[in-house]
Amino acid sequence: MKAKNYIFEKLTAFMASKGFELPAKTTIEAPKSEQHGDMATNISMVMPKEKGQNPRALAEGIKADLLAACPEIESIDIAGPGFINFTFKPAFWQDVALTALENGSNFGRVDVGKGRRVQVEYVSANPTGPLHIGHGRGAAVGDSLTRILRFTGHEVETEYYLNDAGRQMRLLGLAVWVRYQQACGIEIEFPEDCYRGDYIKDISAALLAEKGRALLDLPEENALDLCYERGMKDILDGIKKDLVDFRVEHQHWFSEKSLVDGGLVEATLNRLLAEGRAYEQDGALWFRTTEFGDDKDRVLRKSDGLLTYFASDIAYHDNKIGRGFDLMVDVWGADHHGYVPRMKAAIEAMGKDREALQVILIQLVNLIQGGEQIAMSTRAGKFETLADVCAEVGVDAARFIFLSRKSDSHLDFDLDMVKQQSMDNPVYYVQYAHARISSLLRKAAEQGVELPEPSRELMALLTTPEDKALFKALDAFEDTMELAARTLSPHHVSHYLMELAGLLHRYYTVHHILSGEDQDLLRARILLFRAVAGVIASGLDLLGVHAPERM
């Protein structure tokens, strides 16, 4: 934020001139009320004081020095117990729009990451059925976060962890095998705990059309393996297509089965055992997670010899550490919240700072239609797929709504609302702001208004409260990007865009833009609106949403 950085630099220089560093507890932020200026600081209340000197008197003494050192400041006022409030000259804010125009799609970039290597692993749904809207929310969060981190100076790789081993996959193979036999006319009861969706019948029917009744002649173990492989392939192909259609990138697809078959899980467990991090008891292998803050030790290999999911996950994250990532971000469903402490314990046990793993939890999505919630169950085959929802409302609407709230809060997705072209629809509200500016530029061109080159002379004509509000909102874009990156929270971008769009729509309500006689003022406003449109387009792109020119 230009304004915040400016005050920070001036205060740092002021303290250095007195032989001190800027106190760590110094705050610089916009006041809640514009009556108290553009920025405020508490420095007089946290800096070293002589005996008997009160903060307000100290602030008065600072004021004169800062006014002399800050030519861009119009006035400085002292408020309350000693807050110092700054009001900038109009030219300071007007220059923000000029900077936005000059920098284009690079406006708002801030080097938070400084080249840190980050891996974002997300979606990672078991390939036992199509992606549903819960997976869609995780996909939108992971992909948008990747875009934000790259925008803020991080080197990011994306990955899908493929759970292609274990009980769930055996159940998938069994479901396909039973449906195949039923399709062959064999009367066989369908197991209660298998996947029941119509997609299982479709896979079995395709297998029957391709192989005929040949699977019936195979040993059942071989038939089950073939059904498992075919089921996983067809489902995974569908998942990959859905993610591409949803504008989601995964650079790497990592197989859990490759960890097991390649001996990497056993190697990791043997290392933990040799280092005293694991121990054997009652025929099982246990991990000493209590040594790292967990409430109890966890089983890695059960007494029957079967590995737990935790064992594979430890080996997987050990592999991540070996690949040299500074930060590993996992996007999980909120029902895995209890799993976070033990995975952080595992990270620490493997010699890495536990904070090198950050987990983003994705809460449930309630799908609403006609005012009623749609019941969903993957196992029972009753669910709304991500593909169906996108076909109904569009990718733009789905992604924006998924990113409109903090990821660990519940989300009601109203299908009817997001299809409405009204200001009550947040997707329409933001996209219309961009389209509205594009329409204005077209109409101005039709009236013979030449698109101006950016200049301070034209910007100096923009002095209304609505102008200043847009200037300040543009200045806040960089801070928003820094906040979203540091907190791993894409919803800050959607909230920012809603606020910026609201200011733009208000501007249109207050000012009759094309009907005025002052052509220079019109050209100045065109410059401002072009800057706003550029930031809206950048913000929407970070959410994976289009910025339309017509609606």
Side-chain angles (χ1 to χ4, degrees), residues 25 94 130 187 193-194 340 342 349-350 377 416 436 440 446 451 480:
K25 293 183 178 180
Q94 293 156 2
E187 292 187 10
D193 57 351
C194 277
V340 177
R342 72 188 74 163
M350 290 182 286
S377 170
D416 300 320
R436 202 170 195 178
L440 172 74
E446 290 169 3
L451 293 181
T480 301

Short mmCIF file of all heavy atoms in Angstrom, two decimals, residues 25 94 130 187 193-194 340 342 349-350 377 416 436 440 446 451 480:
data_model
loop_
_atom_site.label_atom_id
_atom_site.label_comp_id
_atom_site.label_asym_id
_atom_site.label_seq_id
_atom_site.Cartn_x
_atom_site.Cartn_y
_atom_site.Cartn_z
N LYS A 25 6.03 -2.20 18.10
CA LYS A 25 4.58 -2.12 18.31
C LYS A 25 3.93 -0.95 17.57
O LYS A 25 2.75 -0.66 17.76
CB LYS A 25 4.30 -1.99 19.81
CG LYS A 25 4.67 -3.24 20.61
CD LYS A 25 4.29 -3.09 22.06
CE LYS A 25 4.63 -4.36 22.85
NZ LYS A 25 4.26 -4.24 24.29
N GLN A 94 -4.04 10.65 -6.62
CA GLN A 94 -4.20 10.62 -8.08
C GLN A 94 -3.08 9.84 -8.75
O GLN A 94 -3.29 9.15 -9.76
CB GLN A 94 -4.26 12.06 -8.61
CG GLN A 94 -5.52 12.81 -8.17
CD GLN A 94 -5.35 14.33 -8.17
OE1 GLN A 94 -4.29 14.84 -8.54
NE2 GLN A 94 -6.38 15.03 -7.74
N PRO A 130 -17.22 -39.34 -9.31
CA PRO A 130 -17.02 -38.00 -9.87
C PRO A 130 -16.82 -36.95 -8.77
O PRO A 130 -17.21 -37.16 -7.62
CB PRO A 130 -18.32 -37.74 -10.64
CG PRO A 130 -18.96 -39.08 -10.81
CD PRO A 130 -18.53 -39.90 -9.64
N GLU A 187 -27.59 -63.30 -10.98
CA GLU A 187 -28.26 -62.75 -9.81
C GLU A 187 -27.28 -62.77 -8.64
O GLU A 187 -26.92 -63.83 -8.14
CB GLU A 187 -29.52 -63.55 -9.48
CG GLU A 187 -30.63 -63.40 -10.53
CD GLU A 187 -31.91 -64.07 -10.09
OE1 GLU A 187 -31.98 -64.48 -8.91
OE2 GLU A 187 -32.82 -64.19 -10.91
N ASP A 193 -21.85 -51.82 1.51
CA ASP A 193 -20.89 -50.75 1.71
C ASP A 193 -20.16 -50.33 0.43
O ASP A 193 -19.18 -49.60 0.48
CB ASP A 193 -19.86 -51.13 2.78
CG ASP A 193 -19.11 -52.42 2.44
OD1 ASP A 193 -19.52 -53.10 1.47
OD2 ASP A 193 -18.14 -52.74 3.16
N CYS A 194 -20.64 -50.79 -0.72
CA CYS A 194 -20.00 -50.42 -2.00
C CYS A 194 -20.62 -49.15 -2.58
O CYS A 194 -21.70 -48.71 -2.17
CB CYS A 194 -20.12 -51.58 -3.00
SG CYS A 194 -18.86 -52.84 -2.78
N VAL A 340 -4.68 -32.81 11.61
CA VAL A 340 -3.64 -31.79 11.42
C VAL A 340 -2.52 -31.91 12.46
O VAL A 340 -1.33 -31.92 12.09
CB VAL A 340 -4.25 -30.37 11.43
CG1 VAL A 340 -3.15 -29.31 11.32
CG2 VAL A 340 -5.25 -30.21 10.29
N ARG A 342 -1.35 -34.40 14.18
CA ARG A 342 -0.47 -35.56 14.02
C ARG A 342 0.40 -35.45 12.77
O ARG A 342 1.54 -35.92 12.77
CB ARG A 342 -1.29 -36.85 14.04
CG ARG A 342 -2.12 -37.14 12.82
CD ARG A 342 -3.03 -38.32 13.01
NE ARG A 342 -4.15 -37.99 13.88
CZ ARG A 342 -5.26 -38.74 13.95
NH1 ARG A 342 -5.36 -39.85 13.26
NH2 ARG A 342 -6.26 -38.38 14.73
N ALA A 349 8.99 -34.69 13.39
CA ALA A 349 9.78 -35.90 13.63
C ALA A 349 10.76 -36.17 12.50
O ALA A 349 11.82 -36.78 12.71
CB ALA A 349 8.84 -37.09 13.79
N MET A 350 10.43 -35.70 11.30
CA MET A 350 11.31 -35.90 10.15
C MET A 350 12.32 -34.77 9.99
O MET A 350 12.97 -34.64 8.96
CB MET A 350 10.47 -36.08 8.89
CG MET A 350 9.73 -37.41 8.87
SD MET A 350 8.76 -37.72 7.38
CE MET A 350 7.37 -36.60 7.61
N SER A 377 -24.81 -37.67 -1.08
CA SER A 377 -24.07 -38.77 -0.49
C SER A 377 -23.34 -39.51 -1.59
O SER A 377 -23.96 -40.12 -2.45
CB SER A 377 -25.01 -39.74 0.24
OG SER A 377 -24.31 -40.92 0.60
N ASP A 416 -30.26 -20.85 -7.74
CA ASP A 416 -31.16 -19.87 -8.35
C ASP A 416 -30.59 -18.46 -8.29
O ASP A 416 -30.66 -17.70 -9.25
CB ASP A 416 -32.53 -19.91 -7.66
CG ASP A 416 -33.19 -21.27 -7.75
OD1 ASP A 416 -33.09 -21.91 -8.83
OD2 ASP A 416 -33.78 -21.73 -6.75
N ARG A 436 -19.35 -2.69 -17.28
CA ARG A 436 -19.89 -1.33 -17.29
C ARG A 436 -18.82 -0.35 -17.77
O ARG A 436 -19.11 0.57 -18.55
CB ARG A 436 -20.35 -0.97 -15.88
CG ARG A 436 -21.36 0.14 -15.81
CD ARG A 436 -21.94 0.25 -14.40
NE ARG A 436 -23.14 1.07 -14.42
CZ ARG A 436 -23.89 1.32 -13.35
NH1 ARG A 436 -23.55 0.79 -12.18
NH2 ARG A 436 -24.96 2.09 -13.45
N LEU A 440 -18.80 1.95 -21.17
CA LEU A 440 -18.55 3.39 -21.15
C LEU A 440 -17.48 3.77 -22.18
O LEU A 440 -17.63 4.75 -22.91
CB LEU A 440 -18.10 3.82 -19.76
CG LEU A 440 -17.62 5.27 -19.65
CD1 LEU A 440 -18.80 6.21 -19.70
CD2 LEU A 440 -16.81 5.48 -18.38
N GLU A 446 -17.78 6.15 -29.47
CA GLU A 446 -18.85 6.43 -30.44
C GLU A 446 -19.18 7.92 -30.49
O GLU A 446 -19.60 8.45 -31.53
CB GLU A 446 -20.11 5.64 -30.06
CG GLU A 446 -19.97 4.13 -30.29
CD GLU A 446 -21.11 3.35 -29.67
OE1 GLU A 446 -22.04 4.00 -29.11
OE2 GLU A 446 -21.08 2.11 -29.72
N LEU A 451 -9.44 8.49 -26.56
CA LEU A 451 -8.92 7.91 -25.33
C LEU A 451 -7.61 8.60 -24.98
O LEU A 451 -6.67 8.62 -25.79
CB LEU A 451 -8.69 6.41 -25.51
CG LEU A 451 -9.96 5.57 -25.70
CD1 LEU A 451 -9.60 4.10 -25.84
CD2 LEU A 451 -10.93 5.77 -24.55
N THR A 480 -4.10 -6.05 -0.05
CA THR A 480 -4.99 -7.21 -0.12
C THR A 480 -4.23 -8.43 -0.60
O THR A 480 -4.39 -9.54 -0.06
CB THR A 480 -6.16 -6.93 -1.07
OG1 THR A 480 -6.90 -5.79 -0.59
CG2 THR A 480 -7.09 -8.13 -1.16
#
